[in-house]
Amino acid sequence: MFSSNPLSLSVPDPTFESWLRDSGYLDVIDDHQTAAAAASTTTSSSPTISESTITIPISSFLFGYLVSFFSHLWTLLSLLTFNPFAKLTTNDFSGETPSWTKGFFADFGSYSFPASVSQARLRVQENVKRYARNYASLFILFFACSLYQLPLALVGLISSLALWDSFRFFSDKWGLDRFPVSQLILVRIVQCATAIILLWLNVQMALCCTLGVSYIVMILHAAFRKLTPTKQPSRGRWK
């Protein structure tokens, strides 16, 4: 869609990149960062024939692989130090769920390792917004699988729901709304009973496992998933 900076004679790169961000062309920034990293890697990996490269090629290659490995590891670990939900809003959960095959998973060419920490964070924040409904569906699926693996947790969850449903039924039947103090006391009792049931039957274990697995899957998918063009609102464009 764009070259790296079609207005390079008059607009500095930071200004042009800022305009791309404000206009929603994050996929262009993502592609440019990937291409720049690939060009840098190709240039730095081009061998030069010399006595040193002939004498110790194995050690130099090993050092290069170690540097690349720790660089990629640092990129992934850096994703644990920022909030991926910073730009997420309630509006991201409205509307239609993106297609699982063409949008969420797509093909193998839609994935690449982020070239830098900034690119990884850009992808994560944008993909979390785009695929919020998909990630929420995966969370429900993982939670159902956790409850299947922990039957007692399923019993505890159903018991707590039945307890609150019974409390609402008898509250309406006895007209506890006319006795706010008594109603508040009963609410606190039911809350304590619910907490005991959930803790005793390990519902918190199923929830913690679900949160951990869901978060890891979301971060990895969002970081490796390339940004794709989205429909842009009508506004002034660069000539």
Side-chain angles (χ1 to χ4, degrees):
M1 181 181 298
F2 297 98
S3 58
S4 28
N5 185 348
L7 302 177
S8 57
L9 296 179
S10 58
V11 180
D13 283 338
T15 304
F16 181 66
E17 181 173 329
S18 177
W19 176 83
L20 289 175
R21 289 179 182 272
D22 295 339
S23 302
Y25 294 108
L26 299 179
D27 56 295
V28 178
I29 300 177
D30 185 54
D31 292 340
H32 174 65
Q33 292 179 349
T34 301
S40 175
T41 303
T42 302
T43 302
S44 61
S45 61
S46 298
T48 56
I49 300 177
S50 63
E51 183 178 355
S52 59
T53 57
I54 296 176
T55 305
I56 51 172
I58 297 180
S59 60
S60 62
F61 287 146
L62 180 61
F63 178 76
Y65 283 131
L66 288 177
V67 170
S68 177
F69 171 77
F70 284 110
S71 175
H72 290 167
L73 181 62
W74 169 249
T75 299
L76 293 179
L77 291 178
S78 67
L79 297 177
L80 302 177
T81 62
F82 88 117
N83 181 14
F85 309 107
K87 297 183 178 180
L88 190 66
T89 64
T90 55
N91 294 332
D92 296 321
F93 292 95
S94 61
E96 297 182 358
T97 303
S99 171
W100 287 93
T101 54
K102 296 181 180 180
F104 186 75
F105 291 111
D107 54 14
F108 184 77
S110 300
Y111 296 87
S112 68
F113 201 98
S116 63
V117 174
S118 60
Q119 184 183 27
R121 294 185 175 185
L122 173 68
R123 286 182 177 181
V124 169
Q125 287 188 335
E126 181 62 20
N127 283 327
V128 166
K129 286 177 60 66
R130 294 185 182 184
Y131 305 114
R133 292 173 62 87
N134 300 89
Y135 294 134
S137 299
L138 287 178
F139 173 82
I140 296 175
L141 176 62
F142 293 152
F143 187 57
C145 293
S146 298
L147 294 177
Y148 179 78
Q149 294 294 328
L150 299 172
L152 286 179
L154 177 60
V155 173
L157 182 62
I158 295 176
S159 300
S160 61
L161 293 177
L163 178 62
W164 279 102
D165 192 62
S166 300
F167 171 77
R168 185 179 61 178
F169 173 77
F170 287 107
S171 177
D172 295 338
K173 182 178 180 180
W174 295 336
L176 293 179
D177 294 339
R178 296 174 298 175
F179 309 97
V181 177
S182 300
Q183 185 181 36
L184 181 60
I185 294 175
L186 290 177
V187 167
R188 295 292 183 263
I189 294 175
V190 173
Q191 287 177 341
C192 293
T194 302
I196 294 174
I197 292 175
L198 296 180
L199 291 175
W200 185 43
L201 298 179
N202 289 329
V203 177
Q204 78 282 1
M205 180 65 67
L207 184 59
C208 289
C209 292
T210 302
L211 288 173
V213 173
S214 300
Y215 188 81
I216 293 175
V217 170
M218 180 193 70
I219 288 294
L220 292 179
H221 175 269
F224 284 88
R225 182 69 167 87
K226 294 180 180 179
L227 298 181
T228 55
T230 57
K231 184 178 181 181
Q232 305 297 330
S234 58
R235 62 178 69 191
R237 299 180 62 181
W238 294 91
K239 303 295 184 181

